[in-house]
């Protein structure tokens, strides 16, 4: 008997899937073999590989919104097939069902993973007309908003620094404009948004709670195209096209607000008196990307982002000037190489930078403050697909961090004050990982992985030694490259799926994560003044263990999806400022003396129901959760609710496609009020009123709820030109949601007539907006 009868011959089908009209690689396209009811999905660069027994097969490639590709194959040798999918112009129920593998939420082992189509995000109501990816993420179960109109978010009890936000592989350290009210991502240049909030695979690390992986468009390599929009507070434009058709392309976009310009008519009197001449605020974003295909084996990508917020205040009469610019800059260059039809490699070099500056002048006095973080990062990732049952990933990455927690300079006339040296902190961070996504049996699917991490706080550095009373007594210098503190850990990751039947499955996951860099914040929302700091000999790495179990079920021929997930997360070495400590305390000191450390835990139930197809689509997400913190030096060592603890969080989203011209959307959200600490009494010391505060976060603001609606009207749509109007109303029924609470004393404590009254501050009433969008 020949060996071919004992071991069936195997051959490989591989290639790339792309959009026929633009040449864009399609991320997550479904590649399916009908006869064996198995398949795979394309990776972040549109590549797929399937190894099958010799035979006759029906090969199907599909992607939501596109016509299916079907081909009969006689597989008796290795075959390379590059697929160009054509966009589906008329969507019917039948087309949409076939355009996406409808049971992928049941058959995959991933938990807490959501892919958000950018076109869906654009159809939802937008705050002041600004389409915002991060605000859409807040509408998912397990993800909570940082506050009214804010793009910051918390995932399963984690803090804002525990979310890894990456744009074309580059870390974005502050993803917000206007103190959090808008995100830095321009949806016109975004191709794919993927959220992972549970069961984080081993190729991601460095954060405890979630990953938001955002990919930019590559640029149309078939024809030139321009699109943009003009709104009430900003305008944007994006241009893309081929440098060499089918080989190289570019995309470039710009966005700028004109709040400063719009406010001028309302500040006429101030301008006349020159009280505020030259004052204003605006932000802008620039995105650019180039790519070049040398062959099917080698491709090169160069991506860049630059964004700034600029606030200025001028009073010429008083010669007073304040300037506060802050923002991000990222660059990534990636090289894809195909060693064989089963082995894919991506190598990336990354630069990421975040800076905050404060500059004030009056007469001969000048004051400057600067903080930031800068990374140089190299990484290499391999995908090896030996059989249809296995998809193996492995790789390594290294990051060199430079932190500037705070740097201050001051002068009067020619005299410069000594505020201490600029204290930069340096660190090495590295990781290697291996993972395998494999089908153990027809019923069991496993994604397992290990991630080994290493972190070093290195010199140059000067440690201030202190006595028992906290007074500096000596300094210990460390030379450049000297290891001051080192941490190394192994992080296991596991996710298992058990298929009950074709319509339902049960999944469990277990993850361990270490986080070596930390965000020090005095606020419940992420602000540009927040400081990034590394783990040191005093600051230990944050550590989290998360357990999750879920039941997933589809209904009505997979047109409805539903899931119930339970999670429990324990967090160690959580960081907070000591009582009375402020960021500037580290000017002539080591910044890590300002912090105290504790533990946290979060557990909850997440419900999710989604309607995938039809004229009405949308979802309902509900989270029942509890998040607490325990710090020995805070709240008398008693456990207290975290500032982002929400008992109830509900989001309802619906989109109705009336016809080819009109689409309507609505969003309703409800959440338990924020936790905060309020005074419970007042007394006099030396004639000054002193507040006596209750337990940490023992008071709840009123519940938060709001409804938004929008309508999109396609004014004109031809092959050469497309024009549409988007009308949105934020906070339809004008709910005055609490933003913060302060106290006003309506009496006099000295005469025992003190009568403090709590006052609520609300930000946004009903806000209509309109945006004109165009494409040609």
């Amino acid at each position: 008997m020949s060996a071919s009868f004992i071991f069936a011959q195997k051959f490989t089908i591989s290639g790339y899937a792309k959009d026929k009209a633009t040449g864009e690689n399609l991320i997550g396209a479904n590649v399916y073999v009908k006869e064996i009811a198995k398949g795979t999905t394309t990776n972040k660069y549109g590549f797929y590989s399937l190894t099958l027994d010799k035979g006759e097969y029906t090969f199907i490639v599909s992607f939501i919104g596109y016509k299916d590709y079907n081909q009969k194959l006689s597989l008796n040798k290795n075959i390379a097939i590059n697929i160009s999918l054509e966009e589906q112009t008329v969507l019917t129920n039948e087309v949409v069902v076939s355009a996406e593998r409808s049971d992928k939420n049941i058959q995959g082992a991933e938990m807490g993973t959501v892919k958000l189509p950018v076109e869906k995000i654009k159809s939802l109501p937008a705050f002041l007309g600004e389409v915002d990816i991060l605000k859409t993420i807040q509408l998912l179960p397990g993800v909570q908003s940082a506050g009214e109109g804010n793009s910051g978010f918390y995932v399963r009890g984690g803090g804002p620094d525990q979310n890894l936000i990456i744009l074309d592989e580059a870390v974005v350290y502050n993803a917000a404009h206007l103190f959090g009210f808008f995100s830095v991502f321009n949806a016109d240049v975004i191709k794919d948004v993927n959220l992972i909030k549970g069961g984080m695979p081993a190729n991601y690390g460095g954060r405890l709670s979630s990953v938001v992986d955002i990919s930019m468009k590559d640029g149309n390599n078939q024809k030139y195209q321009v699109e943009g929009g003009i709104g009430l507070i900003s305008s944007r434009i994006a241009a893309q096209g081929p440098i060499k058709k089918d080989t190289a392309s570019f995309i470039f976009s710009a966005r700028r607000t004109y709040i400063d310009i719009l406010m001028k008519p309302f500040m006429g009197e101030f301008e006349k008196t020159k009280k505020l001449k030259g004052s204003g605020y605006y932000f802008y974003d620039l995105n650019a990307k180039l790519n070049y295909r040398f062959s099917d084996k080698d491709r090169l990508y160069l991506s860049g982002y630059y964004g700034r917020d600029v606030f200025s205040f001028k009073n010429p009469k008083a010669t007073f000037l304040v300037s506060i610019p802050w923002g991000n800059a990222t660059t990534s260059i990636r090289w894809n190489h195909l060693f064989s039809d089963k082995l894919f490699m991506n190598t990336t070099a990354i630069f990421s930078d975040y800076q905050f500056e404060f500059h004030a002048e009056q007469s001969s006095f000048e004051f400057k403050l600067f903080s930031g973080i800068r990374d140089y990062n190299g990484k290499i990732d391999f995908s090896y697909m030996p059989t249809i049952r296995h998809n193996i990933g492995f790789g390594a990455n290294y990051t060199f961090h430079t932190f500037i927690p705070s740097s201050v300079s001051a002068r009067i006339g020619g005299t410069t004050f000594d505020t201490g040296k600029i204290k930069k902190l340096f660190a090495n961070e590295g990781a290697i990982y291996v993972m395998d996504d494999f089908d153990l049996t027809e019923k069991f699917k496993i994604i397992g992985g290990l991630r080994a991490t290493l972190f070093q706080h290195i010199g140059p550095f000067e440690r201030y030694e202190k006595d028992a009373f906290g007074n500096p007594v000596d300094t210990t210098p460390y030379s450049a490259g000297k290891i001051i503190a080192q941490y190394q850990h192994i992080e296991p990751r596991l996710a298992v799926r058990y298929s009950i039947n074709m319509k339902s499955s049960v999944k469990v996951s277990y993850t361990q994560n270490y986080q070596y860099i930390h965000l020090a914040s005095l606020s419940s929302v992420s602000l540009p003044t927040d400081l990034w700091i590394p783990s040191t000999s005093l600051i230990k790495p944050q550590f989290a263990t998360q357990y999750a179990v879920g039941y997933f079920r589809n209904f009505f021929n997979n047109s409805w999806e539903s899931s119930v997930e339970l999670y429990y997360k324990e967090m160690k070495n959580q960081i907070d400022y000591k009582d009375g400590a402020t960021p500037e305390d580290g000017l002539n000191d080591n910044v890590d003396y300002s912090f105290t450390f504790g533990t946290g835990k979060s557990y909850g139930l997440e419900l999710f129901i989604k309607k995938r197809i039809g004229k009405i689509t949308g979802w309902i997400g509900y989270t029942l959760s509890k998040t607490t913190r325990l710090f020995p030096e805070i709240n008398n060592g008693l456990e207290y609710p975290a500032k982002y603890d929400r008992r109830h969080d509900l989001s309802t989203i619906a989109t109705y496609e009336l016809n080819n011209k009109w689409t309507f959307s609505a969003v309703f959200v409800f959440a338990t009020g924020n936790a905060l600490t309020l005074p419970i009494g007042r007394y006099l010391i030396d004639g000054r009123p002193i507040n006596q505060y209750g337990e940490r976060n023992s008071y709840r603001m009123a519940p938060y709820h709001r409804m938004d609606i929008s309508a999109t009207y396609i004014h004109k749509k031809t092959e050469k030109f497309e024009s549409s109007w988007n009308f949105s109303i934020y906070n339809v029924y004008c709910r005055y949601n609490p933003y913060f609470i302060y106290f006003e004393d309506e009496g006099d404590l000295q005469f025992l007539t003190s009568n403090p009254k709590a006052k609520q501050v609300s930000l946004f009433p009903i806000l209509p907006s309109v945006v004109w969008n165009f494409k040609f």
Side-chain angles (χ1 to χ4, degrees), residues 11 144 175 228 236 293 357 362 408 431 465 535 657 709 768:
F11 298 101
Q144 295 160 343
R236 65 191 196 280
R293 184 179 69 85
E357 295 180 49
Q362 184 169 18
V408 170
E465 307 293 346
S535 295
E657 189 177 345
I709 59 174

Side-chain angles (χ1 to χ4, degrees), residues 421-494:
K421 299 177 182 178
I422 297 176
K423 293 182 177 61
K424 293 183 179 181
L425 303 176
F426 304 94
N428 296 316
E429 183 173 3
I432 57 174
Y433 72 90
V434 62
M435 55 187 289
D436 191 5
D437 183 342
F438 65 97
D439 293 317
L440 188 63
T441 67
E442 294 300 318
K443 291 284 189 180
F444 281 98
K445 184 179 181 70
I446 297 175
I447 302 177
L450 284 175
R451 184 179 181 89
T453 58
L454 172 70
F455 187 88
Q456 298 173 330
H457 174 210
I458 61 173
F461 179 70
E462 191 172 61
R463 167 63 69 190
Y464 290 84
E465 307 293 346
K466 298 190 174 186
D467 60 22
F469 301 100
N471 300 311
V473 293
D474 200 2
T475 59
T476 303
Y478 293 88
S479 59
K482 179 74 173 178
I483 298 174
I484 304 160
Q486 177 171 301
Y487 303 95
Q488 57 273 329
H489 296 99
I490 299 293
E491 304 175 18
R493 315 283 175 84
L494 180 66

